[in-house]
């Protein structure tokens, strides 16, 4: 072993596993929650068109990122069922309302469908002469043919009007008024009895308009899903940076953008990664502090906070020797380094430095085992044997025991 070490660590504590499970479940919940919120907004938009014939969508189950994974998963399942049920109900209500709006016109006769005039009875010598029986049968058949044609025309008119009403019901709720108004006018014209050639042109144009709006809505929906995927882990992260990004994503969803802005995903990923690294660094710092104090090393107040935050902290070796250990955590990589140091006021020979390094080497193996039991395995990749390099000299206040002794001396001198 050595007085200078470098090692990689992996945080597999119970708290870390719980955080991963919570985030995974939360991402699923955020997606279905987003679908429900979009469906509620869609229902309100349809209500502005069809009025109270469209029911409002209820809020659904709630959850928080801090809830247990099982509780979040249960809320996700409840909301998913609600979304499926309410989406089908909304579709049914919109179709019924669209048909109802044109129901009066559906019952009207098609324009230009004139009924054949009654055949005049022949007059002869101021007497009414009945047609021969054969002629009467021929006339009955002649009158029946236009009646059949009239019924067929009425049925075709009804079919065109019904098709128009169905197309109008498929128009997305967020369709702009400048698009919806012409579509509604086309449906009214068809239902009022537009000639077949004109009705076919209107239906084709209506279908194209509806398809275009549906495709635009699909792009908005895809962008919303991507934005929610970006936002979900941010809801599990504290801090101003995450809060600002959450607000930005919320604005983009509210504005119904059809694409994710360049760089947003990378920016959010970095904020989440920094928070994850900070959480893991704190777990390592806590475990190292416990391992050191269990072996008699003295740490100052805020040892774990300084190690996790600034990336460096000091612990004093047992006894009033002036030796200590500097612990360092890399900011971007899961690497921990240790080095034996000596207070500047302590005078020692090279052999004493080597002895201090050897003592820490022996203790370091114990510390590694204890940290591993806490769920943080350490894989050492570098070392410098005791006595190979001079021990680093640091200011007295860096080593807790020396700082405490210096403070005591100052107090005594003040008396």
């Amino acid at each position: 072993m050595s007085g200078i070490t470098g090692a990689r660590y992996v945080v597999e504590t119970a708290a870390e596993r719980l955080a991963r499970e919570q985030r995974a479940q939360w991402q699923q919940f955020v997606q279905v929650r987003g679908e429900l919120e979009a469906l509620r907004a869609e229902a309100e938009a349809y209500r502005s068109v069809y009025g109270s014939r469209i029911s409002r969508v209820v809020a659904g189950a709630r959850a928080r990122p801090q809830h247990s994974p099982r509780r979040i998963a249960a809320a996700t399942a409840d909301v998913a069922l609600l979304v499926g049920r309410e989406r089908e109900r909304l579709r049914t209500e919109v179709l019924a309302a669209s048909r109802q709006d044109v129901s009066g016109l559906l019952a009207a006769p098609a324009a230009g469908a004139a009924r054949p005039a009654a055949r005049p009875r022949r007059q002869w010598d101021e007497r009414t002469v009945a047609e021969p029986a054969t002629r009467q049968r021929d006339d009955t058949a002649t009158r029946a043919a236009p009646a059949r044609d009239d019924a067929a025309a009425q049925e075709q008119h009804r079919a065109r009007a019904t098709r128009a009403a169905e197309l109008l019901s498929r128009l997305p709720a967020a369709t702009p008024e400048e698009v919806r108004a012409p579509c509604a006018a086309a449906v009214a014209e068809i239902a009022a009895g537009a000639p077949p050639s004109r009705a076919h042109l209107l239906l084709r144009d209506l279908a194209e308009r509806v398809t275009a709006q549906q495709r635009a809505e699909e792009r908005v929906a895809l962008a919303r899903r991507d934005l929610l995927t970006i936002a979900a882990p941010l809801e599990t992260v504290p801090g101003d940076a995450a809060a600002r990004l959450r607000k930005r994503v919320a604005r983009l969803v509210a504005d119904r953008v059809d694409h994710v802005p360049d760089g947003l995903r990378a920016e959010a990923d970095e904020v989440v990664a920094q928070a994850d690294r900070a959480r893991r660094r704190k777990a390592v710092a806590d475990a190292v502090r416990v391992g050191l104090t269990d072996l008699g090393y003295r740490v100052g107040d805020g040892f774990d906070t300084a190690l996790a935050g600034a990336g460096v902290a000091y612990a004093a070796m047992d006894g009033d020797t002036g030796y200590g250990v500097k612990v360092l955590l890399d900011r971007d990589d899961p690497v921990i380094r240790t080095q034996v140091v000596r207070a500047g006021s302590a005078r020692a020979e090279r052999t004493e430095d080597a002895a201090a390094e050897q003592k820490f080497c022996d203790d370091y193996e114990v510390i590694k085992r204890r940290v591993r039991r806490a769920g943080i395995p350490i894989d050492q990749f570098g070392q410098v044997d005791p006595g190979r390099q001079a021990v680093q000299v640091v200011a007295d206040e860096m080593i807790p025991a020396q700082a405490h002794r210096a403070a005591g001396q100052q107090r005594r001198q003040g008396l």
Side-chain angles (χ1 to χ4, degrees):
M1 264 304 298
S2 69
I4 302 176
T5 67
R8 292 189 175 275
Y9 61 83
V10 178
V11 178
E12 287 294 338
T13 62
E16 182 67 18
R17 291 193 299 271
L18 175 61
R20 285 202 301 267
E21 293 172 6
Q22 284 174 321
R23 179 174 294 172
Q25 293 296 336
W26 185 250
Q27 288 177 317
Q28 296 182 36
F29 176 77
V30 168
Q31 284 294 339
V32 297
R33 184 188 65 185
E35 291 181 23
L36 179 59
E37 291 172 351
L39 191 63
R40 296 184 71 193
E42 184 179 5
E44 290 301 319
Y46 276 130
R47 283 173 65 87
S48 69
V49 177
Y50 298 110
S52 60
R53 289 173 293 175
I54 307 300
S55 304
R56 285 191 168 94
V57 178
V58 298
R62 298 180 181 275
R64 294 181 179 276
Q66 298 79 16
H67 287 167
S68 69
R70 179 175 297 182
R71 184 173 175 180
I72 298 173
T76 301
D78 289 345
V79 174
L81 288 174
L82 177 64
V83 167
R85 184 172 64 249
E86 290 296 289
R87 181 178 286 122
E88 182 63 27
R89 180 193 57 74
L90 180 60
R91 173 65 187 149
T92 301
E93 289 182 351
V94 170
L95 179 58
S98 180
R99 286 178 173 175
Q100 185 180 26
D101 283 349
V102 297
S103 61
L105 293 174
L106 286 174
R115 295 182 177 277
R119 183 183 180 89
R121 306 193 68 162
R122 297 176 60 185
Q123 300 290 326
W124 184 259
D125 293 339
E126 297 180 356
R127 294 185 293 117
T128 300
V129 179
E131 297 283 357
T134 55
R135 179 65 60 83
Q136 289 181 0
R137 287 194 296 271
D138 291 343
D139 288 348
T140 301
T142 301
R143 289 192 298 270
R148 287 194 298 270
D149 292 344
D150 182 56
Q154 290 291 339
E155 186 61 32
Q156 291 171 2
H157 162 245
R158 183 178 296 276
R160 289 191 294 269
T162 301
R163 172 61 177 163
E166 290 176 351
L167 284 172
L168 186 64
S169 72
R170 295 178 186 175
L171 206 58
T175 299
E177 183 59 25
E178 59 267 24
V179 177
R180 182 177 291 278
C183 292
V187 173
E189 183 178 351
I190 293 169
S197 59
R198 170 68 175 167
H200 287 311
L201 288 175
L202 289 172
L203 281 172
R204 186 170 63 185
D205 180 70
L206 180 60
E208 290 175 355
R209 288 174 181 264
V210 170
T211 299
Q213 290 300 311
Q214 287 177 331
R215 288 175 178 169
E217 187 66 22
E218 288 172 1
R219 291 193 293 270
V220 171
L222 286 173
R224 182 178 64 247
R225 283 195 288 271
D226 289 343
L227 288 169
L228 293 176
T229 299
I230 293 171
L234 289 171
E235 295 187 27
T236 68
V237 171
D240 293 339
R244 284 193 299 270
L245 280 175
R246 289 196 298 269
K247 290 180 180 179
R248 181 182 174 189
V249 170
R251 286 195 301 270
L252 291 170
V253 171
D255 291 343
R256 293 176 48 80
V257 299
D258 59 4
H259 68 282
V260 177
D262 293 340
L264 178 60
R265 186 185 299 274
E267 185 179 354
D269 288 346
E270 180 57 27
V271 170
V272 173
Q274 288 179 3
D276 289 346
R277 286 193 293 268
R279 185 183 66 250
R280 292 165 188 152
R281 284 157 60 91
K282 185 63 166 62
V284 173
D286 289 342
V288 170
R289 175 182 56 80
V290 172
L292 287 169
T293 55
D294 284 350
L295 292 180
Y297 289 77
R298 285 168 286 179
V299 300
D301 294 337
F303 171 90
D304 44 355
T305 302
L307 183 55
V312 58
Y314 294 84
M317 287 187 171
D318 190 22
D320 191 15
T321 61
Y323 287 99
V325 176
K326 180 168 68 172
V327 185
L328 303 102
L329 290 179
D330 283 9
R331 179 163 297 279
D332 297 324
D333 296 318
V335 172
I336 181 172
R337 306 176 194 275
T338 61
Q339 181 179 3
V340 173
V341 295
R342 172 164 45 86
S345 61
R347 296 292 181 263
E349 299 294 333
R350 190 66 177 267
T351 55
E352 294 174 304
D353 287 349
E357 288 182 311
Q358 185 60 55
K359 178 184 184 306
F360 175 70
C361 289
D362 297 339
D363 292 341
Y364 186 66
E365 292 299 320
V366 178
I367 293 170
K368 283 199 304 182
R369 289 195 297 269
R370 295 189 178 185
V371 171
R372 184 179 295 110
R373 284 199 298 268
I376 307 174
I378 294 178
D379 183 18
Q380 186 171 323
F381 63 77
Q383 66 180 43
V384 176
D385 293 336
R388 292 287 300 275
Q389 292 184 3
V391 169
Q392 182 182 7
V393 178
V394 298
D396 285 14
E397 59 268 22
M398 294 295 183
I399 301 178
Q402 298 300 113
H404 179 74
R405 185 173 65 178
Q409 290 176 347
Q410 290 177 357
R411 285 195 299 270
R412 287 192 295 273
Q413 290 174 358
L415 295 176

